Amino acid sequence: MGSSTPLVKAVKGMNDILPAEIARWHAVEGAFARAMQRQGYREVRTPYVEPTPLFVRAIGEATDVVEKEMYSFTRHDEPLTLRPEGTAGAIRAYVEHGVHNQEPVTRWYYLGPMFRAERPQRGRYRQFYQLGAECIGDPGPGCDAEMIDALAGFLREIGVAAPDVFINSIGSGDTRARYKDALVAALTPMKDELSADSQRRLATNPLRILDSKHPADAEAVARAPTILDFLSDADRAHWDELRRDLDALGTPYTVDPKLVRGLDYYTRTLFEIKGAYDKLGAGSTLLGGGRYDGMVKDLGGPEVPAIGFAAGLERLLIASDVEAPKSVVDVFVAPVGDGTQAAGLVLARDVRRAGLRCEVDTRKASMKAQLRRANALGARVCLILGDREVNQGVVEMKELAGHVQEAVARADVVARVAAVVASPVPEASPKEGGA
Ligand code: AMP
């Protein structure tokens, strides 16, 4: 019986977000935009596609993202990549538009899809959405503390219970170079016990061995020297002040000297916020960020420090208990009978002009089907227009929750319905209803 036409399905790891889910997305995106705007951040939108060398230069050649996760292709002889993260594009735009000449400090936030060819699992997708921000032009550490504190606040605001903040400093150029040497020296005698990946990283990117999840690496990592012992005086002063500022703000945090994160560009402050372990398990890193004081210069701009973060929107949605409003429209206009369609269209338009959300039946469905639709859409009020009502210049106004109905003059109905929609929904309890 079935058709033989093969189904075309979405790409593995890339998801449709249907309207039933989108209200929660809007709620979290809106809370994020408001939280950032409260701190003077403005939205920036950069292309989803960038020249491949941008990511190679900004993120680093020996990172997982650049080595194996980018969606890259060539078009018109130009190597292009679907952006795997937002910072490189934002900084490219900052440099390209000479923004450093326009203001001493730039605060930008963004939200949108990112693309990484990872193995899909819960909380890990190939197209996923990030909310992120960059503060460019301020060396911190006050700015770092403010960002971390605001993010913990934002997570609580969207109903992530008790988010855990982890911080570390990986110092700047010289500190990292000295630490890398010490780390390689400490791990080389244990090389044979390390996982294959870590053995390779010993030569390419030894810091990444610290956040290896492979059990074979656990002992070596536990015995490895900690970067905090290698901080230069300037790095240490920055690190100490960051912690003093967080203490003053009352933001609890845990120092995690093994926190290095996946991207090469970081300097000094690094942070991650985890939470909702019961729902996210191993993928409980809700957001991560850090300082990247060298990137503006590396991308051809002046020496300007910066810090940023990105949060995975899908993970925030799994972790958050925000509830989406169930209602799709405020008002449903139900024309019943032969000659009522035009009157229904006009009424619906007038209701919308008053700023209300309104659907009108244009299928000429039965009264029963229309009421079912009004309830399914979560309408507060159904406006019924039969031939008799149209002739008498009235509309039957039915409050769906309270089961109250009355005839209202057509001239008054828009104001009346607006007042009902603005009033609190009556309690479901029959005793309370009515009045
Ligand atoms: P990163 O850009 O790797 O520092 O990641 C920042 C945040 O983005 C992570 O903490 C996750 O919440 C989210 N994220 C990263 N990769 C993925 C992915 N493949 N799928 C879903 N979320 C992701």
Side-chain angles (χ1 to χ4, degrees):
M1 284 243 297
S3 136
S4 59
T5 312
L7 279 182
V8 179
K9 291 194 173 174
V11 176
K12 195 171 167 222
M14 302 196 180
N15 302 307
D16 300 311
I17 301 131
L18 298 180
E21 299 165 64
I22 212 83
R24 291 190 79 233
W25 286 62
H26 287 166
V28 172
E29 289 166 353
F32 175 72
R34 286 190 298 275
M36 296 318 296
Q37 286 164 12
R38 281 201 297 269
Q39 299 173 74
Y41 282 75
R42 291 181 295 168
E43 183 179 350
V44 66
R45 295 190 189 187
T46 61
Y48 295 177
V49 179
E50 295 275 3
T52 303
L54 171 69
F55 299 114
V56 178
R57 238 204 284 171
I59 302 175
E61 212 145 359
T63 55
D64 284 353
V65 170
V66 171
E67 269 182 354
K68 46 192 183 203
E69 293 170 1
M70 295 206 301
Y71 285 98
S72 299
F73 57 99
T74 300
R75 181 57 38 106
H76 306 305
D77 293 329
E78 194 180 5
L80 302 172
T81 293
L82 299 184
R83 64 181 189 187
E85 55 94 67
T87 300
I91 298 304
R92 179 205 45 70
Y94 176 88
V95 172
E96 190 167 333
H97 298 280
V99 181
H100 63 280
N101 292 319
Q102 299 158 29
E103 54 185 7
V105 179
T106 296
R107 292 191 160 89
W108 283 354
Y109 73 88
Y110 61 84
L111 42 100
M114 306 295 162
F115 304 85
R116 294 183 198 173
E118 297 193 80
R119 201 163 56 77
Q121 53 188 280
R122 183 167 172 78
R124 188 177 296 284
Y125 313 102
R126 290 179 171 170
Q127 174 173 330
F128 60 100
Y129 290 75
Q130 281 189 336
L131 312 175
E134 322 294 346
C135 178
I136 312 160
D138 183 334
C143 148
D144 311 17
E146 182 187 38
M147 184 176 273
I148 294 168
D149 173 66
L151 285 170
F154 160 66
L155 291 179
R156 280 192 297 271
E157 202 177 300
I158 60 165
V160 177
D164 288 327
V165 175
F166 297 89
I167 61 170
N168 189 24
S169 172
I170 55 166
S172 31
D174 180 45
T175 294
R176 275 174 78 169
R178 283 186 296 116
Y179 178 64
K180 260 188 197 170
D181 289 347
L183 187 64
V184 171
L187 293 179
T188 302
M190 298 182 256
K191 185 172 176 186
D192 295 342
E193 298 152 40
L194 296 177
S195 67
D197 261 352
S198 291
Q199 292 191 14
R200 199 170 47 82
R201 286 188 178 130
L202 206 48
T204 57
N205 193 355
L207 254 55
R208 287 308 310 281
I209 299 176
L210 295 178
D211 70 358
S212 159
K213 306 279 177 296
H214 200 289
D217 299 325
E219 199 191 319
V221 167
R223 284 197 285 161
T226 130
I227 192 155
L228 293 173
D229 292 335
F230 286 77
L231 296 183
S232 66
D233 289 347
D235 288 338
R236 175 153 297 283
H238 192 280
W239 170 239
D240 289 343
E241 194 175 330
L242 166 68
R243 286 176 302 146
R244 273 199 303 277
D245 289 345
L246 285 173
D247 291 340
L249 287 163
T251 310
Y253 58 84
T254 304
V255 173
D256 177 5
K258 304 282 189 262
L259 176 62
V260 291
R261 305 197 33 76
L263 315 176
D264 249 6
Y265 50 60
Y266 290 115
T267 52
R268 292 192 168 161
T269 308
L270 279 185
F271 60 93
E272 275 186 357
I273 305 187
K274 299 187 185 191
Y277 304 100
D278 50 333
K279 297 180 193 151
L280 280 161
S284 48
T285 304
L286 298 170
L287 64 87
R291 188 157 273 295
Y292 50 92
D293 291 339
M295 194 193 293
V296 177
K297 186 146 191 271
D298 287 348
L299 294 181
E303 199 151 335
V304 175
I307 183 167
F309 70 87
L313 183 48
E314 289 87 347
R315 291 191 200 182
L316 293 183
L317 284 161
I318 294 172
S320 148
D321 62 10
V322 286
E323 280 187 31
K326 300 254 181 311
S327 142
V328 179
V329 296
D330 304 306
V331 180
F332 191 88
V333 172
V336 268
D338 280 345
T340 57
Q341 182 81 89
L345 294 176
V346 174
L347 177 57
R349 190 199 53 197
D350 290 350
V351 167
R352 292 173 190 138
R353 282 186 176 164
L356 302 176
R357 300 169 304 161
C358 176
E359 182 175 302
V360 54
D361 177 87
T362 47
R363 299 175 300 161
K364 304 192 174 165
S366 71
M367 182 71 225
K368 195 170 155 210
Q370 292 199 45
L371 274 177
R372 205 182 311 125
R373 175 80 179 161
N375 277 306
L377 293 174
R380 182 79 191 275
V381 177
C382 186
L383 297 178
I384 302 161
L385 273 174
D387 289 319
R388 188 172 53 87
E389 282 78 15
V390 172
N391 288 335
Q392 294 176 356
V394 295
V395 176
E396 282 294 329
M397 184 174 84
K398 184 178 175 69
E399 282 187 57
L400 291 164
H403 304 290
V404 238
Q405 184 168 330
E406 67 173 297
V408 178
R410 173 63 178 85
D412 301 335
V413 74
V414 173
R416 284 291 306 281
V417 89
V420 171
V421 169
S423 68
V425 182
E427 291 288 329
S429 143
K431 267 202 317 224
E432 302 285 317

